[in-house]
Amino acid sequence: GAGVSQSPSNKVTEKGKDVELRCDPISGHTALYWYRQSLGQGLEFLIYFQGNSAPDKSGLPSDRFSAERTGGSVSTLTIQRTQQEDSAVYLCASSRGPALGYTFGSGTRLTVV
Amino acid sequence: GIQVEQSPPDLILQEGANSTLRCNFSDSVNNLQWFHQNPWGQLINLFYIPSGTKQNGRLSATTVATERYSLLYISSSQTTDSGVYFCAVGSNQAGTALIFGKGTTLSVSS
């Protein structure tokens, strides 16, 4: 597509439930990144996919967080047993390759009540 | 890991004024980008500038990689320039994602 698409744009969930966030990168972009931005804060790196290489999961805050990227395209970020501190905007970006310019999606605003 | 410091944290300008935002980083980089986050939260890539100088309209950026800093210049500021400006860097270690600074919040009033 023309841009990075994320869905849903907003998600309200109850504490303890699982959620799935979706990212559809720009066609042909081999690199895909997930970041999290809490209210008034900077961007926190979560996970990075590059082609068929093993993902860099070094930013995932706990084992409740996981992500996959199917067929080198769409990615899903899953948060299990959500907690209130998981409330944030989850941003996805893609780039043509590593160390190249990023294009961000509009994000998913997650609220855990 | 690599550290990114941005200054100033906040900046208030009158429309028409010029400004300089600074980004210092603690290690060699192979990737440096400047982003603008508008009041609706959308992040827009302004520059991909691991070294050298680039200009795009009223905005320009310079990165001096050997001295580990980058500058973003905004000339003749407009109210639409308001928002948060982030600097983000990637180290020379292969395959790393960008690390973001805490940002500079710019408010331009008419």
Side-chain angles (χ1 to χ4, degrees):
Chain A
V4 177
S5 178
Q6 291 189 246
S7 61
S9 54
N10 282 284
K11 176 72 176 179
V12 180
T13 189
E14 292 182 350
K15 178 180 172 181
K17 301 279 190 182
D18 298 352
V19 294
E20 285 189 353
L21 312 179
R22 176 187 169 104
C23 173
D24 198 345
I26 292 173
S27 178
H29 280 197
T30 61
L32 185 148
Y33 316 82
W34 284 99
Y35 287 81
R36 176 170 73 173
Q37 186 174 32
S38 301
L39 188 62
Q41 301 298 308
L43 276 75
E44 175 189 7
F45 165 69
L46 297 177
I47 188 169
Y48 159 43
F49 296 90
Q50 170 53 46
N52 296 321
S53 302
D56 176 359
K57 304 179 182 180
S58 60
L60 294 179
S62 77
D63 59 8
R64 296 187 295 105
F65 288 72
S66 63
E68 62 177 18
R69 188 178 185 193
T70 53
S73 182
V74 172
S75 177
T76 302
L77 177 69
T78 301
I79 309 173
Q80 295 179 309
R81 305 182 301 282
T82 51
Q83 304 294 313
Q84 287 187 332
E85 61 262 29
D86 299 334
S87 296
V89 176
Y90 289 81
L91 292 154
C92 175
S94 70
S95 64
R96 287 199 314 275
L100 294 177
Y102 285 21
T103 300
F104 275 90
S106 298
T108 293
R109 181 175 299 277
L110 175 67
T111 304
V112 182
V113 298
Chain B
I2 193 167
Q3 304 296 314
V4 185
E5 292 185 3
Q6 292 188 243
S7 60
D10 300 283
L11 190 56
I12 300 174
L13 299 175
Q14 286 285 329
E15 206 168 21
N18 302 329
S19 62
T20 301
L21 283 59
R22 186 176 181 102
C23 172
N24 292 333
F25 42 94
S26 61
D27 203 349
S28 300
V29 299
N30 65 354
N31 192 348
L32 189 146
Q33 300 181 38
W34 284 95
F35 296 87
H36 175 220
Q37 188 168 41
N38 65 25
W40 297 271
Q42 180 66 48
L43 275 160
I44 305 298
N45 192 312
L46 299 175
F47 292 104
Y48 167 75
I49 188 166
S51 64
T53 298
K54 289 186 177 179
Q55 181 159 6
N56 184 2
R58 296 181 296 103
L59 303 182
S60 63
T62 295
T63 297
V64 184
T66 53
E67 297 188 20
R68 300 185 182 171
Y69 73 88
S70 182
L71 302 174
L72 177 69
Y73 304 97
I74 305 174
S75 64
S76 304
S77 57
Q78 300 176 358
T79 56
T80 52
D81 295 331
S82 297
V84 183
Y85 290 80
F86 289 104
C87 169
V89 303
S91 75
N92 283 346
Q93 183 180 357
T96 59
L98 289 178
I99 302 301
F100 281 72
K102 294 186 185 299
T104 292
T105 300
L106 174 64
S107 297
V108 181
S109 58
S110 57

